[in-house]
Amino acid sequence: VIGAFYGLLRRQLQGKADAILEFSELGEFAHVPVKSLSLGQVLRLSFAVFVQSEEKFLAFDESTYLGDLGFQRKVEAYLDRLMRDPERTVLMASHSLETIRRYCQRVIWLERGGIKEIGPPDAVVQHYSEFCIQGAGPVSDPCVL
């Protein structure tokens, strides 16, 4: 299911199993059913499958790469390469202003299901931060960028 979400066919996944297990660092759990893995292990596995996708357009939520510091560093190195690849378009959902500034070239700020602003990361993050600091964000609909 994880592979299909990222556009990989079963036969493609089988050919990439070693690389997926190596990236995820879950080799010792290779024969354990996914439902038996911890949430952190499932997120590692999901991101490792994502890394194997060769699609030109990719979309992911930054929470898919949560994990220990060593794994986060590995993911950051991958994202540094991916986000600068001119042949690919990446859509990343994030609540981390640091992550947005580091990886994004254009940012869309969504507010109550609509577009509030589109532009360069520094400008949009600045406006978003000011909006949240001023308390303009409603309590029932927290500030989300």
Side-chain angles (χ1 to χ4, degrees), residues 8-17:
L8 297 169
L9 302 173
R10 180 176 292 240
R11 69 176 181 273
Q12 290 173 307
L13 281 174
Q14 290 170 341
K16 297 176 185 252

Side-chain angles (χ1 to χ4, degrees), residues 13-113:
L13 281 174
Q14 290 170 341
K16 297 176 185 252
D18 290 340
I20 291 168
L21 290 173
E22 181 181 338
F23 192 94
S24 69
E25 302 172 359
L26 293 173
E28 65 188 274
F29 301 99
H31 300 291
V32 173
V34 172
K35 65 182 179 184
S36 299
L37 299 175
S38 71
L39 176 59
Q41 290 170 322
V42 171
L43 291 174
R44 278 177 174 248
L45 183 61
S46 176
F47 199 86
V49 171
F50 172 79
V51 166
Q52 297 304 312
S53 176
E54 297 172 9
E55 296 296 320
K56 296 296 182 192
F57 178 84
L58 296 169
F60 75 102
D61 182 309
E62 64 156 349
S63 68
T64 58
Y65 69 84
L66 298 176
D68 61 53
L69 189 58
F71 188 72
Q72 287 176 17
R73 298 248 190 271
K74 182 188 283 193
V75 169
E76 288 170 357
Y78 170 77
L79 289 176
D80 282 336
R81 290 188 311 273
L82 175 68
M83 299 300 260
R84 287 161 179 73
D85 183 345
E87 300 294 318
R88 297 175 103 177
T89 299
V90 181
L91 175 68
M92 175 179 61
S94 179
H95 291 95
S96 167
L97 302 183
E98 179 184 330
T99 299
I100 290 167
R101 281 191 170 121
R102 179 174 180 177
Y103 296 114
C104 298
Q105 295 172 6
R106 280 182 62 80
V107 175
I108 301 172
W109 169 9
L110 300 176
E111 169 84 29
R112 297 182 182 218

